[in-house]
Amino acid sequence: MLSQDQPSSHCCFCSMQCGLEIMPNEKTSVLMTKPSPNFPVATNRLCQKGLNALDHVLHPERIMEPLLKSKAEPHGWLKVSWEQAYADIAKRIKALQETYGPDVVGVYGGGSLTNEVSYLLGKFTRVALRSKYIDYNGRYCMSSAAAASNQAFGIDRGMTMPLTEIPNAQYIILAGTNIAECQPTMMPYLMEAKKKGAVIVTIDPRNTMTSKVADIHVRLQPGFDSVFINGLLHIMIEEKLVDQRFVQERTSGFELLREAVKSFTPARVEELTGILEAVLRTIARGFAKAETGIVLTARGLEQQVNGVENTLNYINLTLVTGKIGRKGCGFGAVTGQANGQGGREHGQKADQLPGYRLIEDPAAREHVAKVWGIDPQELPGKGVSAYELLQKVDEGEIKALIVLGSNPLVSSPNNRMVERALQKLDLLVVVDMFESETARYAHYLLPASSFAEAEGTMTNLEGRVFHRQKAMELPGSCRFDFHIICELAEALGRGAYFQYTGVEDVFRELAAATAGGKADYSGITYQRLQEEKGIFWPCPALDHPGTPQLFESRFHHPDGKAKLFGIQPKMPAEPIDAEYPYVLTTGRLANHYLSGVQKRRTEALNKKAPVPVAEIHPWLAKRIGLGTEGKIRITSRRGSLCVEVKITEGIQPRTVFVPFHWGDELSINVLTNDALDPTSRMPEFKICAVNIEAI
Ligand SMILES: Nc1nc2c(c(=O)[nH]1)N[C@H]1C(S)=C(S)[C@@H](COP(=O)(O)OP(=O)(O)OC[C@H]3O[C@@H](n4cnc5c(=O)[nH]c(N)nc54)[C@H](O)[C@@H]3O)O[C@H]1N2
Ligand SMILES: Nc1nc2c(c(=O)[nH]1)N[C@H]1C(S)=C(S)[C@@H](COP(=O)(O)OP(=O)(O)OC[C@H]3O[C@@H](n4cnc5c(=O)[nH]c(N)nc54)[C@H](O)[C@@H]3O)O[C@H]1N2
Ligand code: SF4
Ligand SMILES: [Mo]
């Protein structure tokens, strides 16, 4: 099973991308993982997920052969050869495209895929299918932070600094980010900062494992981040704590910001949020006066219809205090999935070409078309975001869909719409390791490789590009995603554009396609990655060292300045009312991973948290007449769910938290709202109005 000489890899789960080694257990000889001493990001560290990362790889339910849905039995599958599968899929796609045009086919990708596969998926959609419809699960994940970073800085790299700057920070604000559960091996960086005297502030509606290490925990009602930040900015201006020189020399837009925060007096913010004026003043003064400081955000405030504005306001904090572009300073929207960073740079997004270029920009089209050997006019225009793509399926405009690296039936908001849509497809092809909830509706289920088998490059949450080796041999008839994409292109008669000698060859083309773009990888080669254990993009030349710390002398807007924004806080899409008087928020716990396809097949972790448990406050429990135990029914305008409860003081009283790790009758996404941020098109997973009853 082991690929003889190189049994080292990287964990497939979160964006830390910890290095691991694979070896047989001395006693049982079952393969296991061990932390690697060689990767500089989390040297010798793996969390529970990394330690159990092979469970799904070796799981008996893994799909080993291409499967065709059997017409005889409703949920039965027939084994077919790869050649039969490709030929039939291509035939069906061609027939649909002849009748309805190229855009009748859509592609839905994922943020766990390597840079090479993400890149090929974008190219495949535009060149082999000639369709404009591609998007990916990162739309649900990083798109608000991405849009905000692009607007404020002119570039989107989740973290503007390497993790090694965290211990140099004297003041750290963690907002809507539960690092202790979601990027556990990052905690030592925070603990080191704390040991050196740093103050840590957490902002979350719940007490989390992360808030345990905080000096100040702000328990904010979901949706109030911008009110809170405007309060801090108001105090900074009133008490003359703004870094005037930085604001003047390196930013634009301060007057708009000043105007927007004028009415957010501490007294008013206290009234709106319940956060005491004294706490506001302590944080505003502490952060502004600290010599160095870092702000980290994540999905808590991003997965909202105001997610872009919320993020912009946290960026405002770092800019008005001059805490960016130097030692111990920076802003970071903490990326989620394994390749959440690289996956959003190379063309999986509806409006994007490789290197973070825009598909509607004529110069970008010309550059990429040249690399691909096609006429720029052949390139389609921009498509629509992930959820809107599924809506197009529901409306019948998209009749064939290829899903590679995601389980949208569980991970999308308003699950019922998605389930209805998938059933309408004339052709659903799912490329996966397992029969996910989405794959149950597939006509073809194609067996993919796991992280341990597939070589490629990934880009971690810092913007560090590194090479992941092949550690194990492919089992059964499984194939690499990159082969599957190229072979499908061949079957569609477009194979001439997908001739590669191997993954490294794909990377060479990717690097050329990104040259001159925002996410410039053109100076990176496999050889360099093997020698240097990771290079931070932008890296525009072979002799360029890469860019760990961004914005040391200029931001990426043409004038070199960062933009400040005046944010007027807005309501969530679905405010609470008499009928739905509570706020549902959703997220993850340490032992879960996303929609659960891989993690629910990991016995050791599954045992620890086998079913969803809602967190509610004793005030709420009393109000609905719930004793110390029992179940509750949570109902939104879209559906309802019965779950067990954990009664805890550690949650904002009107808020209920439920993890989203399950499908079918345990899926909380049956309830969530599909309202989208107007700019990023990210769904409001973090806020919807619900009613709660004891049962
Ligand atoms: N164990 C585990 N780790 C993971 C994952 C996983 O599924 N399981 N997934 C990975 C992925 S893809 C991602 S994107 C990341 C996600 O990482 P995070 O974004 O850190 O995780 P979440 O639990 O979604 O949300 C973080 C916190 O936001 C809070 N929150 C809710 N509403 C608000 C609000 O209005 N304001 C503020 N300030 N906070 C709010 C929630 O209570 C929660 O504690 O984790 C990655 N790591
Ligand atoms: N309510 C609620 N919903 C949410 C969120 C939330 O906070 N609340 N968070 C959102 C976020 S941040 C995210 S990132 C999404 C993620 O949600 P999904 O996109 O559904 O992510 P996964 O559950 O990781 O599904 C990935 C699928 O790809 C397969 N896979 C893994 N690696 C590979 C590979 O290399 N090749 C191939 N072909 N397949 C592979 C896995 O087996 C699995 O079936 O969920 C979103 N949904
Ligand atoms: S911190 Fe993330 S990358 Fe590291 S072992 Fe845990 S899940 Fe895997
Ligand atoms: Mo995510």
Side-chain angles (χ1 to χ4, degrees):
M1 267 286 221
L2 284 184
S3 167
Q4 291 305 314
D5 44 339
Q6 297 173 329
S8 84
S9 182
H10 289 264
C11 172
C12 56
F13 296 114
C14 87
S15 52
M16 285 294 289
Q17 283 302 286
C18 305
L20 53 80
E21 287 175 359
I22 300 179
M23 61 195 54
N25 181 305
E26 278 177 20
K27 287 191 196 130
T28 62
S29 71
V30 175
L31 291 181
M32 55 174 256
T33 58
K34 185 179 130 205
S36 161
N38 297 321
F39 192 54
V41 179
T43 309
N44 275 324
R45 293 200 287 276
L46 285 178
C47 76
Q48 283 303 315
K49 291 189 295 298
L51 287 170
N52 291 284
L54 287 184
D55 280 35
H56 75 276
V57 173
L58 303 171
H59 200 278
E61 283 168 15
R62 192 145 164 211
I63 308 294
M64 294 289 185
E65 269 135 322
L67 299 175
L68 165 67
K69 181 62 62 59
S70 149
K71 290 200 178 104
E73 317 154 49
H75 284 291
W77 295 101
L78 299 172
K79 291 178 186 169
V80 289
S81 72
W82 280 101
E83 289 58 43
Q84 269 174 294
Y86 289 142
D88 189 39
I89 292 167
K91 193 173 109 194
R92 295 199 205 186
I93 287 176
K94 281 186 192 159
L96 283 167
Q97 288 189 320
E98 264 160 36
T99 315
Y100 302 102
D103 296 332
V104 73
V105 190
V107 174
Y108 196 107
S112 303
L113 308 171
T114 60
N115 290 319
E116 290 82 350
V117 173
S118 310
Y119 166 81
L120 278 181
L121 212 52
K123 179 177 175 186
F124 171 82
T125 310
R126 278 69 175 241
V127 178
L129 294 173
R130 299 184 233 207
S131 167
K132 66 180 175 191
Y133 287 131
I134 176 166
D135 212 55
Y136 80 123
N137 67 9
R139 183 68 67 173
Y140 296 165
C141 182
M142 285 303 297
S143 57
S144 289
S149 293
N150 276 320
Q151 287 181 19
F153 305 136
I155 196 170
D156 159 38
R157 203 183 78 187
M159 295 185 74
T160 68
M161 69 295 173
L163 287 169
T164 44
E165 289 305 329
I166 291 178
N168 298 326
Q170 291 169 7
Y171 209 102
I172 300 172
I173 296 181
L174 307 174
T177 174
N178 185 5
I179 291 169
E181 302 206 48
C182 296
Q183 291 82 15
T185 60
M186 200 203 288
M187 286 310 280
Y189 290 96
L190 291 167
M191 297 317 288
E192 201 184 326
K194 208 174 150 72
K195 216 161 73 191
K196 285 163 75 177
V199 174
I200 298 183
V201 176
T202 49
I203 302 161
D204 197 299
R206 308 183 298 136
N207 295 3
T208 62
M209 300 229 302
T210 312
S211 69
K212 278 191 189 156
V213 309
D215 299 276
I216 305 174
H217 176 50
V218 178
R219 215 174 60 192
L220 200 65
Q221 186 171 326
F224 280 80
D225 288 85
S226 277
V227 173
F228 173 75
I229 297 304
N230 276 0
L232 297 183
L233 292 167
H234 180 102
I235 294 166
M236 287 176 183
I237 293 172
E238 178 197 279
E239 297 192 8
K240 302 207 169 11
L241 299 169
V242 169
D243 183 339
Q244 294 292 352
R245 201 166 142 197
F246 188 91
V247 166
Q248 246 169 32
E249 288 174 7
R250 302 211 47 198
T251 72
S252 61
F254 184 69
E255 282 316 310
L256 294 171
L257 181 146
R258 185 208 295 274
E259 206 42 46
V261 306
K262 216 180 214 161
S263 64
F264 287 84
T265 58
R268 182 170 170 228
V269 173
E270 178 176 326
E271 199 184 304
L272 290 169
T273 61
I275 310 303
L276 301 178
E277 173 166 349
V279 174
L280 281 163
R281 287 202 190 270
T282 306
I283 299 172
R285 288 173 192 156
F287 188 70
K289 288 182 183 169
E291 180 56 30
T292 52
I294 281 176
V295 175
L296 300 179
T297 64
R299 308 307 84 75
L301 54 108
E302 294 161 14
Q303 289 171 329
Q304 302 190 13
V305 286
N306 305 311
V308 176
E309 295 197 339
N310 289 341
T311 313
L312 283 170
N313 228 4
Y314 278 101
I315 292 175
N316 281 338
L317 270 190
T318 63
L319 291 172
V320 300
T321 56
K323 288 197 171 48
I324 197 155
R326 61 185 172 88
K327 203 173 160 62
C329 292
F331 171 80
V334 181
T335 302
Q337 299 177 84
N339 197 25
Q341 180 66 52
R344 70 179 189 265
E345 299 163 358
H346 302 303
Q348 275 193 94
K349 272 177 140 170
D351 62 349
Q352 195 196 53
L353 289 172
Y356 231 122
R357 289 184 154 92
L358 292 177
I359 202 164
E360 308 247 290
D361 167 11
R365 293 169 72 85
E366 197 164 321
H367 173 85
V368 175
K370 199 166 159 206
V371 176
W372 288 351
I374 59 169
D375 189 313
Q377 285 181 345
E378 279 181 57
L379 279 172
K382 70 173 174 192
V384 295
S385 76
Y387 187 75
E388 293 166 294
L389 195 143
L390 297 170
Q391 283 176 318
K392 297 235 174 258
V393 173
D394 189 39
E395 289 155 9
E397 190 180 332
I398 295 175
K399 296 184 191 298
L401 184 68
I402 300 173
V403 178
L404 195 149
S406 180
N407 183 18
L409 176 50
V410 176
S411 52
S412 301
N414 192 11
N415 280 175
R416 294 239 165 95
M417 186 291 284
V418 182
E419 185 162 30
R420 188 175 68 219
L422 294 180
Q423 292 178 61
K424 292 181 183 171
L425 282 163
D426 289 334
L427 177 66
L428 174 61
V429 178
V430 173
V431 186
D432 206 299
M433 292 171 280
F434 297 100
E435 186 186 355
S436 65
E437 286 79 359
T438 305
R440 279 190 221 148
Y441 291 102
H443 300 89
Y444 277 98
L445 174 51
L446 305 180
S449 49
S450 79
F451 77 97
E453 296 130 16
E455 178 192 13
T457 63
M458 309 284 279
T459 306
N460 83 342
L461 77 178
E462 304 168 291
R464 180 197 301 262
V465 186
F466 64 91
H467 178 248
R468 185 182 75 196
Q469 296 173 343
K470 171 188 167 126
M472 287 169 70
E473 295 300 337
L474 273 176
S477 303
C478 296
R479 290 198 180 171
F480 297 119
D481 290 324
F482 108 84
H483 279 150
I484 298 172
I485 295 169
C486 294
E487 286 160 1
L488 261 180
E490 182 80 46
L492 286 160
R494 302 288 279 177
Y497 301 94
F498 294 84
Q499 298 295 324
Y500 301 100
T501 53
V503 234
E504 183 173 358
D505 203 20
V506 180
F507 186 83
R508 273 194 287 268
E509 189 183 278
L510 175 159
T514 67
K518 280 185 186 176
D520 193 329
Y521 283 41
S522 60
I524 305 178
T525 61
Y526 268 35
Q527 194 188 340
R528 280 192 71 181
L529 291 180
Q530 265 136 22
E531 286 158 10
E532 297 174 40
K533 292 184 187 160
I535 298 173
F536 288 76
W537 70 261
C539 179
L542 290 172
D543 58 359
H544 189 285
T547 319
Q549 178 73 271
L550 290 172
F551 317 139
E552 279 176 326
S553 56
R554 65 188 312 277
F555 291 93
H556 284 247
H557 288 304
D559 64 0
K561 292 185 172 184
K563 285 199 178 105
L564 290 162
F565 286 80
I567 303 300
Q568 282 305 336
K570 298 185 190 75
M571 295 295 276
E574 208 177 58
I576 53 174
D577 56 20
E579 207 181 337
Y580 298 99
Y582 309 110
V583 179
L584 167 70
T585 194
T586 61
R588 54 272 284 157
L589 301 177
N591 292 316
H592 298 157
Y593 192 74
L594 296 179
S595 79
V597 180
Q598 291 155 278
K599 216 64 261 179
R600 278 183 276 125
R601 290 180 170 86
T602 306
E603 200 41 41
L605 300 184
N606 213 20
K607 275 200 302 231
K608 294 189 185 161
V611 289
V613 177
E615 290 175 23
I616 65 168
H617 194 272
W619 170 85
L620 179 52
K622 195 165 163 212
R623 202 156 188 252
I624 60 172
L626 186 77
T628 46
E629 307 177 32
K631 279 189 157 190
I632 55 171
R633 180 182 296 113
I634 312 175
T635 308
S636 79
R637 287 185 173 81
R638 291 152 294 278
S640 73
L641 177 74
C642 293
V643 277
E644 290 177 21
V645 283
K646 174 175 148 196
I647 300 173
T648 163
E649 296 271 351
I651 185 162
Q652 206 278 333
R654 257 186 199 279
T655 305
V656 53
F657 171 87
V658 183
F660 76 102
H661 189 61
W662 291 267
D664 303 322
E665 71 285 356
L666 296 179
S667 176
I668 193 66
N669 273 331
V670 169
L671 279 70
T672 49
N673 192 1
D674 58 8
L676 307 179
D677 179 288
T679 308
S680 69
R681 318 305 286 163
M682 183 179 215
E684 190 151 66
F685 289 117
K686 289 295 189 265
I687 305 177
C688 78
V690 292
N691 189 24
I692 302 177
E693 303 151 274
I695 45 172

